[in-house]
Amino acid sequence: MSDARLTLSGVACVRGGRMLLTGIDLDLRAGDSVVLRGPNGTGKSSLIRAVAGLLPVYAGTVERHGAMALADEMLALDMQASLAGALAFWTKLDGQPDDQLHGAMAALRLASLADVPVRMLSTGQRKRAVLARVMASGAPIWLLDEPANGLDTLSLGLLDKVMARHLDQGGIILAASHQPLPLPRARDIDIGLYVPDAEADAA
Ligand SMILES: Nc1ncnc2c1ncn2[C@@H]1O[C@H](COP(=O)(O)OP(=O)(O)OP(=O)(O)O)[C@@H](O)[C@H]1O
């Protein structure tokens, strides 16, 4: 993962015909992390989705070296399948060995829930399941939208550990969070600084 890199140059995001953000420059290398902060509706999730390639970038460029994995409010797991089955679907698609998934499930204390249908998982358990999907993907670049939402104290500690390990292994984390995230070397970015004037609607 040591050659992972994520570079945003002059990125602007438009949604619903409105310019949300302009002029975002970021350069993250192996071991780097950034936490996007700012009021509701400023465009943190939109920026993360744009970096993930799920929204078009209105201006500027996003360049990366290394695969990306996204954890946001979308569960992206088969609700009818068992937790282990639903996660295994993604691990196989990502071309990762079973051990990788077992390790992720253990790290996020999900092993005892392996046979439980995804639809029966609690909010916090689902959040941990999404994080396990990201962890098991083997992708060096993690895009985490509000990863701490719904997690209890124990689970926050697990999140802390898996993120720290990922960065120690040369991964990159771009997160958006209203809550403090336990990333000691993270750079906090106030996304409100990149919001153009209210009148500056996209053409
Ligand atoms: N599909 C859409 N079409 C048009 N506008 C949208 C769409 N989705 C979101 N928006 C708008 O884009 C703006 C930014 O939303 P976004 O979810 O990126 O904000 P956020 O900073 O992540 O907010 P929060 O802190 O509440 O999670 C909001 O004004 C929202 O209403």
Side-chain angles (χ1 to χ4, degrees), residues 4 28 45 59 97 112 139 154 170 179 189:
L28 285 83
S45 299
S112 63
L154 179 69
Q179 303 176 45
I189 293 189

Side-chain angles (χ1 to χ4, degrees), residues 14-18 20-21 37-49 55 73 145-146 149 176-178 191:
V14 168
R15 245 179 158 182
R18 185 166 64 92
L20 297 177
L21 303 166
R37 304 201 179 277
N40 292 139
T42 39
K44 302 177 295 297
S45 299
S46 300
L47 179 60
I48 283 185
R49 290 182 74 76
L55 279 179
E73 81 284 0
D145 194 359
E146 301 292 349
N149 268 7
S177 182
H178 289 289
I191 214 73

Side-chain angles (χ1 to χ4, degrees), residues 99-184:
D99 284 358
Q100 183 101 350
L101 175 57
H102 297 149
M105 290 182 73
L108 288 155
R109 297 224 181 155
L110 290 168
S112 63
L113 299 171
D115 297 330
V116 176
V118 172
R119 68 180 183 281
M120 291 185 188
L121 296 176
S122 74
T123 304
Q125 289 167 346
R126 287 180 190 197
K127 198 73 181 177
R128 273 155 47 211
V130 175
L131 292 166
R133 171 171 58 71
V134 166
M135 196 177 165
S137 73
I141 303 170
W142 289 6
L143 306 175
L144 307 179
D145 194 359
E146 301 292 349
N149 268 7
L151 295 185
D152 62 19
T153 308
L154 179 69
S155 299
L156 285 172
L158 302 177
L159 172 65
D160 180 357
K161 278 191 192 145
V162 299
M163 289 193 301
R165 191 186 314 159
H166 184 63
L167 296 175
D168 283 348
Q169 290 172 345
I172 285 171
I173 296 177
L174 174 63
S177 182
H178 289 289
Q179 303 176 45
L181 284 186
L183 292 168

Side-chain angles (χ1 to χ4, degrees), residues 57-80:
V57 169
Y58 181 75
T61 57
V62 176
E63 292 175 80
R64 67 183 164 94
H65 191 266
M68 295 188 290
L70 169 71
D72 64 4
E73 81 284 0
M74 306 290 285
L75 190 59
L77 294 174
D78 182 349
M79 299 296 262
Q80 308 309 320

